[in-house]
Amino acid sequence: MSDEEGHPRRWAILVALCAALLVIVIDNTVLHVAVPAIGDAFDASTDQLQAVIDAYVVVFAGLLITAGVLSDRYGRRRALVVGLLVFGAASALAAAAPSVWWLIATRALMGVGAALVMPATLAVLVVVFPERERPRAFAVWSAVASVGMAAGPLLGGALVDAWSWAGVFLINVPVVAVALFGVVRLVPETRAADARGLDPYGTVLVTAGMTGLVWALIEAPAYGCTAPAVVAGAAVAVLALVGFGVRQRRSATPMVDLRLYRDRRFSGAGFAVAVMTLATGSTLFVLSQYLQLVLGYSAFETGLAAVPLAAGVVAGSVVGGRAPAGFGARACIVAGFTVTAAGFAVLASLSESGGSAAVSIGLGLAGLGSGIAGPSATSTVLGAVPPERAGMGSALNDTHQQLGIALGVAGLGSLLAAVYRSGLPDGLPEDAMSSLGATLDHARDRADGGDSGALAEAARSAFTDAQSVTMSVGVAAALIGAAVALLVLPGRTARAVASPGPESVEVAQPGSQRGAE
């Protein structure tokens, strides 16, 4: 297989990889609408339910870099197979959970499987597709990921209504089986030819550091930046990541080549993507409260409202997969981020009296822009990474996105809460000011109906104003991403990377002795 020709079955391989990607991406959002049913089933506290959500995200993000390095060392197809097996088995165990702590543990185990799968999918794409076709392959990959994120609440609501909370886990089992069949049958084994030894101390440091960082970011909005758990997570993150950086600089064969960040293609596109996901990662989190608590949507209707986002990504990915050949990656990233900024501007204009059409237009534009920019951003990041280290590069790209999402939920969530509290009437108890839901519950508990109605109206107005401020920050983040791409990334005449020699990547066909390892 040559870099100019690509693998003869590369498009079928892409389908198998997208099936593997879809199941782990859906699980990021599918559980949100099942949380009330899980709380009733186990009489779980709010902290326990939050742990059910966070266990998957924290472990997933914390292990991405380690998983990417392992896939380079031991084989990307092997990482996919092991990851899918772990994810499927953990999903079945979660559906049979006898207690909430069992459920939390199995959600963490699902995060282990997801971390093995996600970077391996991108790494395989880098190897089996020639450079000229990679933007189209990444466009399909990005579209599937975005559709999965948007479809999660819709699928979760339907499963909970038709079955029970266990349905959101059991549905993973047949999907994993199909993905496993496709991966084993179609995906060739690829690995780094240099076969670098693993650094156990570096592995522990980077995993602990990333886990602590994501944990602190997720917990800060709920408990405050000075909470012991948040401070402890941040301290572990700083100490571990500094130690990891020092160890990598002194190593002759580092796990992560930090010199990549000196390449403006890698650092510029990576930063732009992180800034972009900072805004997009918190969009559905904020809008779901607006749709349900301000406009009165049901959980299923809220899931339906996210469909324009997915449709926009799919439409944008069609453009984003083809346009780089004619206009260059930098132009596509700048254009995509600008369109997304327009979408956030529409969302910033929403009012408490209604706005379902504006929500659809805003989400559609945000998705369209992401679809246009995403393939070029991914191609630019991975184009700066030697193909034999594609697993590491893919893991870093995924980590940039996950950190952007975590920062968005933490930072914009805190901003939303602060602006919301400042817009509420004076004299409310502290617990009634923690969220719009808490304020509305307090209003319903008040004896005097007139005052309670006025309080509920004031709370919805305050939340809508806070949402507008938050979405305006999203506009700024998207424009900053566009500016970074415009100023830092090279123009269309710059070459990405030299094609790897035949010795750089080991490729074996499925069924051969090497590929069947």
Side-chain angles (χ1 to χ4, degrees), residues 417-447:
V419 177
Y420 171 68
R421 290 167 66 97
S422 68
L424 290 174
D426 295 333
L428 289 177
E430 189 67 24
D431 58 351
M433 301 172 66
S434 60
S435 67
L436 175 58
T439 309
L440 294 178
D441 287 342
H442 177 74
R444 282 192 292 267
D445 291 340
R446 293 176 64 151

Side-chain angles (χ1 to χ4, degrees), residues 314-331:
V314 172
S317 296
V318 174
V319 177
R322 299 179 181 274
F327 300 97
R330 181 175 66 179

Side-chain angles (χ1 to χ4, degrees), residues 263-510:
D263 188 320
R264 61 177 182 164
R265 292 169 296 152
F266 185 87
S267 58
F271 179 79
V273 167
V275 170
M276 184 65 177
T277 55
L278 184 149
T280 57
S282 59
T283 301
L284 292 179
F285 168 74
V286 175
L287 283 179
S288 64
Q289 298 178 73
Y290 170 78
L291 292 172
Q292 294 187 58
L293 300 178
V294 177
L295 299 188
Y297 281 30
S298 67
F300 185 73
E301 289 171 334
T302 301
L304 281 176
V307 170
L309 177 66
V313 171
V314 172
S317 296
V318 174
V319 177
R322 299 179 181 274
F327 300 97
R330 181 175 66 179
C332 292
I333 295 173
V334 172
F337 282 16
T338 303
V339 172
T340 298
F344 281 117
V346 173
L347 295 176
S349 69
L350 296 174
S351 68
E352 68 270 20
S353 61
S356 56
V359 170
S360 297
I361 294 171
L363 287 177
L365 287 173
L368 181 66
S370 296
I372 293 172
S376 292
T378 302
S379 296
T380 302
V381 170
L382 296 183
V385 180
E388 66 270 18
R389 308 300 295 168
M392 176 202 67
S394 301
L396 288 174
N397 180 70
D398 295 335
T399 300
H400 297 157
Q401 295 182 15
Q402 292 298 319
L403 287 178
I405 292 171
L407 279 168
V409 172
L412 296 185
S414 297
L415 175 65
L416 178 77
V419 177
Y420 171 68
R421 290 167 66 97
S422 68
L424 290 174
D426 295 333
L428 289 177
E430 189 67 24
D431 58 351
M433 301 172 66
S434 60
S435 67
L436 175 58
T439 309
L440 294 178
D441 287 342
H442 177 74
R444 282 192 292 267
D445 291 340
R446 293 176 64 151
D448 48 343
D451 287 349
S452 65
L455 175 59
E457 183 178 349
R460 292 188 177 98
S461 178
F463 182 86
T464 305
D465 291 341
Q467 177 179 259
S468 295
V469 172
T470 305
M471 293 300 174
S472 296
V473 174
V475 174
L479 292 177
I480 289 172
V484 168
L486 182 63
L487 297 175
V488 175
L489 298 183
R492 56 178 298 192
T493 57
R495 292 284 298 165
V497 289
S499 298
E503 75 285 357
S504 297
V505 181
E506 174 190 351
V507 180
Q509 295 293 336

Side-chain angles (χ1 to χ4, degrees), residues 113-134:
L116 287 167
V117 170
M118 193 165 191
T121 60
L122 271 180
V124 171
L125 291 184
V126 171
V127 176
V128 301
F129 278 88
E131 185 179 338
R132 69 180 185 278
E133 291 183 348
R134 283 175 199 158

